[in-house]
Short mmCIF file of all heavy atoms in Angstrom, two decimals:
data_model
loop_
_atom_site.label_atom_id
_atom_site.label_comp_id
_atom_site.label_asym_id
_atom_site.label_seq_id
_atom_site.Cartn_x
_atom_site.Cartn_y
_atom_site.Cartn_z
N PHE A 1309 41.75 73.68 11.75
CA PHE A 1309 40.32 73.82 11.49
C PHE A 1309 39.89 73.23 10.15
O PHE A 1309 38.85 72.56 10.09
CB PHE A 1309 39.86 75.27 11.66
CG PHE A 1309 39.82 75.69 13.11
CD1 PHE A 1309 40.80 76.51 13.64
CD2 PHE A 1309 38.84 75.22 13.96
CE1 PHE A 1309 40.79 76.87 14.98
CE2 PHE A 1309 38.81 75.57 15.30
CZ PHE A 1309 39.80 76.40 15.81
N PRO A 1310 40.67 73.40 9.08
CA PRO A 1310 40.31 72.69 7.84
C PRO A 1310 40.28 71.17 8.03
O PRO A 1310 39.41 70.49 7.48
CB PRO A 1310 41.39 73.11 6.85
CG PRO A 1310 41.82 74.45 7.33
CD PRO A 1310 41.75 74.35 8.84
N PHE A 1311 41.20 70.64 8.84
CA PHE A 1311 41.19 69.20 9.10
C PHE A 1311 39.93 68.80 9.87
O PHE A 1311 39.30 67.78 9.56
CB PHE A 1311 42.44 68.76 9.87
CG PHE A 1311 42.43 67.30 10.18
CD1 PHE A 1311 42.67 66.37 9.18
CD2 PHE A 1311 42.14 66.86 11.45
CE1 PHE A 1311 42.62 65.00 9.46
CE2 PHE A 1311 42.10 65.50 11.74
CZ PHE A 1311 42.34 64.57 10.73
N LEU A 1312 39.53 69.61 10.85
CA LEU A 1312 38.30 69.30 11.59
C LEU A 1312 37.09 69.30 10.66
O LEU A 1312 36.22 68.42 10.77
CB LEU A 1312 38.06 70.31 12.71
CG LEU A 1312 38.99 70.26 13.92
CD1 LEU A 1312 38.50 71.24 14.99
CD2 LEU A 1312 39.11 68.86 14.49
N ARG A 1313 37.03 70.26 9.74
CA ARG A 1313 35.91 70.30 8.80
C ARG A 1313 35.88 69.04 7.93
O ARG A 1313 34.81 68.46 7.70
CB ARG A 1313 36.01 71.54 7.91
CG ARG A 1313 35.66 72.81 8.63
CD ARG A 1313 35.69 74.02 7.70
NE ARG A 1313 35.84 75.21 8.49
CZ ARG A 1313 36.98 75.86 8.68
NH1 ARG A 1313 38.10 75.44 8.11
NH2 ARG A 1313 37.03 76.94 9.43
N GLN A 1314 37.05 68.62 7.48
CA GLN A 1314 37.13 67.40 6.68
C GLN A 1314 36.70 66.19 7.51
O GLN A 1314 35.98 65.32 7.03
CB GLN A 1314 38.56 67.21 6.19
CG GLN A 1314 38.75 65.96 5.38
CD GLN A 1314 40.18 65.78 4.93
OE1 GLN A 1314 41.07 66.53 5.34
NE2 GLN A 1314 40.41 64.79 4.11
N LEU A 1315 37.12 66.16 8.76
CA LEU A 1315 36.75 65.07 9.66
C LEU A 1315 35.23 64.99 9.81
O LEU A 1315 34.65 63.91 9.76
CB LEU A 1315 37.42 65.31 11.02
CG LEU A 1315 37.39 64.21 12.04
CD1 LEU A 1315 38.06 62.94 11.53
CD2 LEU A 1315 38.10 64.68 13.30
N VAL A 1316 34.59 66.13 9.95
CA VAL A 1316 33.12 66.16 10.08
C VAL A 1316 32.47 65.67 8.79
O VAL A 1316 31.55 64.84 8.84
CB VAL A 1316 32.62 67.58 10.44
CG1 VAL A 1316 31.11 67.69 10.27
CG2 VAL A 1316 33.03 67.93 11.85
N ARG A 1317 32.95 66.14 7.65
CA ARG A 1317 32.37 65.71 6.36
C ARG A 1317 32.46 64.19 6.20
O ARG A 1317 31.50 63.54 5.82
CB ARG A 1317 33.08 66.38 5.19
CG ARG A 1317 32.63 67.79 4.91
CD ARG A 1317 33.16 68.30 3.58
NE ARG A 1317 34.61 68.18 3.45
CZ ARG A 1317 35.48 69.13 3.83
NH1 ARG A 1317 35.05 70.23 4.37
NH2 ARG A 1317 36.77 68.95 3.67
N GLU A 1318 33.63 63.64 6.49
CA GLU A 1318 33.83 62.21 6.28
C GLU A 1318 33.21 61.37 7.40
O GLU A 1318 32.82 60.24 7.16
CB GLU A 1318 35.31 61.91 6.13
CG GLU A 1318 35.87 62.51 4.85
CD GLU A 1318 37.24 62.02 4.50
OE1 GLU A 1318 37.63 60.93 4.96
OE2 GLU A 1318 37.92 62.73 3.74
N SER A 1319 33.11 61.92 8.58
CA SER A 1319 32.56 61.16 9.70
C SER A 1319 31.08 60.89 9.54
O SER A 1319 30.59 59.84 9.97
CB SER A 1319 32.79 61.90 11.02
OG SER A 1319 34.15 61.91 11.33
N GLY A 1320 30.36 61.81 8.94
CA GLY A 1320 28.93 61.59 8.74
C GLY A 1320 28.66 60.32 7.96
O GLY A 1320 27.85 59.48 8.34
N THR A 1321 29.40 60.13 6.88
CA THR A 1321 29.25 58.94 6.05
C THR A 1321 29.74 57.70 6.79
O THR A 1321 29.09 56.66 6.79
CB THR A 1321 30.05 59.12 4.75
OG1 THR A 1321 29.60 60.29 4.10
CG2 THR A 1321 29.87 57.93 3.83
N LYS A 1322 30.88 57.82 7.44
CA LYS A 1322 31.44 56.67 8.15
C LYS A 1322 30.56 56.26 9.32
O LYS A 1322 30.45 55.09 9.63
CB LYS A 1322 32.85 57.00 8.63
CG LYS A 1322 33.87 57.00 7.51
CD LYS A 1322 35.23 57.34 8.01
CE LYS A 1322 36.31 57.34 6.97
NZ LYS A 1322 35.98 57.70 5.64
N GLN A 1323 29.93 57.23 9.97
CA GLN A 1323 29.07 56.91 11.10
C GLN A 1323 27.87 56.07 10.65
O GLN A 1323 27.47 55.14 11.33
CB GLN A 1323 28.59 58.18 11.80
CG GLN A 1323 27.83 57.90 13.08
CD GLN A 1323 28.69 57.19 14.11
OE1 GLN A 1323 29.81 57.59 14.37
NE2 GLN A 1323 28.17 56.13 14.70
N ASP A 1324 27.32 56.41 9.49
CA ASP A 1324 26.21 55.61 8.97
C ASP A 1324 26.64 54.15 8.79
O ASP A 1324 25.93 53.24 9.16
CB ASP A 1324 25.72 56.17 7.62
CG ASP A 1324 25.03 57.51 7.77
OD1 ASP A 1324 24.57 57.84 8.88
OD2 ASP A 1324 24.96 58.24 6.76
N LEU A 1325 27.83 53.96 8.21
CA LEU A 1325 28.34 52.61 8.00
C LEU A 1325 28.62 51.91 9.33
O LEU A 1325 28.24 50.76 9.53
CB LEU A 1325 29.61 52.66 7.14
CG LEU A 1325 30.32 51.32 6.91
CD1 LEU A 1325 29.41 50.35 6.20
CD2 LEU A 1325 31.61 51.54 6.13
N THR A 1326 29.27 52.62 10.26
CA THR A 1326 29.58 52.05 11.56
C THR A 1326 28.31 51.66 12.30
O THR A 1326 28.23 50.58 12.89
CB THR A 1326 30.40 53.05 12.41
OG1 THR A 1326 31.58 53.38 11.69
CG2 THR A 1326 30.78 52.47 13.75
N ASP A 1327 27.31 52.52 12.28
CA ASP A 1327 26.03 52.22 12.94
C ASP A 1327 25.39 50.97 12.33
O ASP A 1327 24.87 50.11 13.05
CB ASP A 1327 25.06 53.40 12.82
CG ASP A 1327 25.47 54.58 13.69
OD1 ASP A 1327 26.35 54.42 14.57
OD2 ASP A 1327 24.91 55.67 13.47
N ALA A 1328 25.44 50.87 11.01
CA ALA A 1328 24.83 49.72 10.34
C ALA A 1328 25.56 48.43 10.71
O ALA A 1328 24.93 47.40 11.00
CB ALA A 1328 24.85 49.91 8.83
N LEU A 1329 26.89 48.48 10.73
CA LEU A 1329 27.67 47.29 11.10
C LEU A 1329 27.43 46.89 12.55
O LEU A 1329 27.24 45.72 12.86
CB LEU A 1329 29.16 47.53 10.85
CG LEU A 1329 29.58 47.65 9.39
CD1 LEU A 1329 31.05 48.07 9.29
CD2 LEU A 1329 29.34 46.36 8.64
N ALA A 1330 27.44 47.88 13.44
CA ALA A 1330 27.20 47.60 14.86
C ALA A 1330 25.81 47.04 15.06
O ALA A 1330 25.62 46.10 15.85
CB ALA A 1330 27.40 48.86 15.69
N GLY A 1331 24.84 47.58 14.36
CA GLY A 1331 23.47 47.08 14.46
C GLY A 1331 23.33 45.65 13.99
O GLY A 1331 22.48 44.90 14.46
N ALA A 1332 24.19 45.27 13.06
CA ALA A 1332 24.17 43.90 12.55
C ALA A 1332 25.05 42.97 13.38
O ALA A 1332 25.18 41.80 13.07
CB ALA A 1332 24.63 43.90 11.09
N GLY A 1333 25.69 43.52 14.43
CA GLY A 1333 26.53 42.69 15.29
C GLY A 1333 27.91 42.40 14.74
O GLY A 1333 28.58 41.47 15.16
N VAL A 1334 28.36 43.21 13.77
CA VAL A 1334 29.68 43.00 13.17
C VAL A 1334 30.73 43.69 14.04
O VAL A 1334 30.66 44.91 14.25
CB VAL A 1334 29.73 43.57 11.73
CG1 VAL A 1334 31.12 43.43 11.14
CG2 VAL A 1334 28.69 42.89 10.86
N PRO A 1335 31.71 42.94 14.58
CA PRO A 1335 32.74 43.57 15.42
C PRO A 1335 33.74 44.35 14.56
O PRO A 1335 33.97 44.02 13.40
CB PRO A 1335 33.42 42.38 16.09
CG PRO A 1335 33.20 41.24 15.16
CD PRO A 1335 31.88 41.51 14.46
N LEU A 1336 34.32 45.38 15.16
CA LEU A 1336 35.36 46.14 14.46
C LEU A 1336 36.62 45.29 14.37
O LEU A 1336 37.00 44.63 15.33
CB LEU A 1336 35.66 47.44 15.20
CG LEU A 1336 34.57 48.50 15.19
CD1 LEU A 1336 34.99 49.70 16.02
CD2 LEU A 1336 34.25 48.93 13.77
N ALA A 1337 37.28 45.33 13.25
CA ALA A 1337 38.51 44.58 13.05
C ALA A 1337 39.66 45.24 13.81
O ALA A 1337 39.62 46.44 14.09
CB ALA A 1337 38.83 44.51 11.56
N ASP A 1338 40.67 44.44 14.12
CA ASP A 1338 41.85 44.97 14.79
C ASP A 1338 42.49 46.08 13.97
O ASP A 1338 42.98 47.07 14.52
CB ASP A 1338 42.88 43.86 15.04
CG ASP A 1338 42.47 42.95 16.20
OD1 ASP A 1338 41.65 43.39 17.04
OD2 ASP A 1338 42.98 41.82 16.27
N ALA A 1339 42.50 45.93 12.65
CA ALA A 1339 43.08 46.95 11.78
C ALA A 1339 42.35 48.28 11.93
O ALA A 1339 42.97 49.34 11.94
CB ALA A 1339 43.06 46.49 10.33
N THR A 1340 41.04 48.21 12.09
CA THR A 1340 40.25 49.43 12.28
C THR A 1340 40.59 50.08 13.60
O THR A 1340 40.75 51.30 13.68
CB THR A 1340 38.74 49.11 12.23
OG1 THR A 1340 38.45 48.50 10.96
CG2 THR A 1340 37.90 50.36 12.39
N ARG A 1341 40.73 49.27 14.64
CA ARG A 1341 41.11 49.82 15.95
C ARG A 1341 42.51 50.45 15.89
O ARG A 1341 42.74 51.51 16.45
CB ARG A 1341 41.09 48.72 17.02
CG ARG A 1341 39.68 48.38 17.50
CD ARG A 1341 39.77 47.61 18.81
NE ARG A 1341 39.03 46.43 19.04
CZ ARG A 1341 38.56 45.51 18.21
NH1 ARG A 1341 38.76 45.61 16.95
NH2 ARG A 1341 37.88 44.47 18.61
N GLN A 1342 43.43 49.80 15.22
CA GLN A 1342 44.80 50.34 15.10
C GLN A 1342 44.80 51.64 14.31
O GLN A 1342 45.50 52.58 14.66
CB GLN A 1342 45.72 49.31 14.45
CG GLN A 1342 46.01 48.12 15.34
CD GLN A 1342 46.78 47.03 14.63
OE1 GLN A 1342 47.12 47.15 13.46
NE2 GLN A 1342 47.06 45.95 15.35
N ALA A 1343 43.99 51.69 13.26
CA ALA A 1343 43.90 52.93 12.47
C ALA A 1343 43.34 54.06 13.33
O ALA A 1343 43.80 55.20 13.24
CB ALA A 1343 43.04 52.69 11.24
N ALA A 1344 42.37 53.74 14.18
CA ALA A 1344 41.80 54.75 15.07
C ALA A 1344 42.84 55.27 16.05
O ALA A 1344 42.91 56.47 16.33
CB ALA A 1344 40.59 54.18 15.81
#
C-alpha cells in the first residue's frame, strides 16, 4: 500500500507530461516501454 500511494503521487505528474507529449505527437521511446 505505501508503494501504491507513491505510485499515485508520482503518476499525477508523469501523466501530465505523458499527455502533453502524446498531444504533441511524440511517440514513446523503446526504453520507456521497456521500463514500463
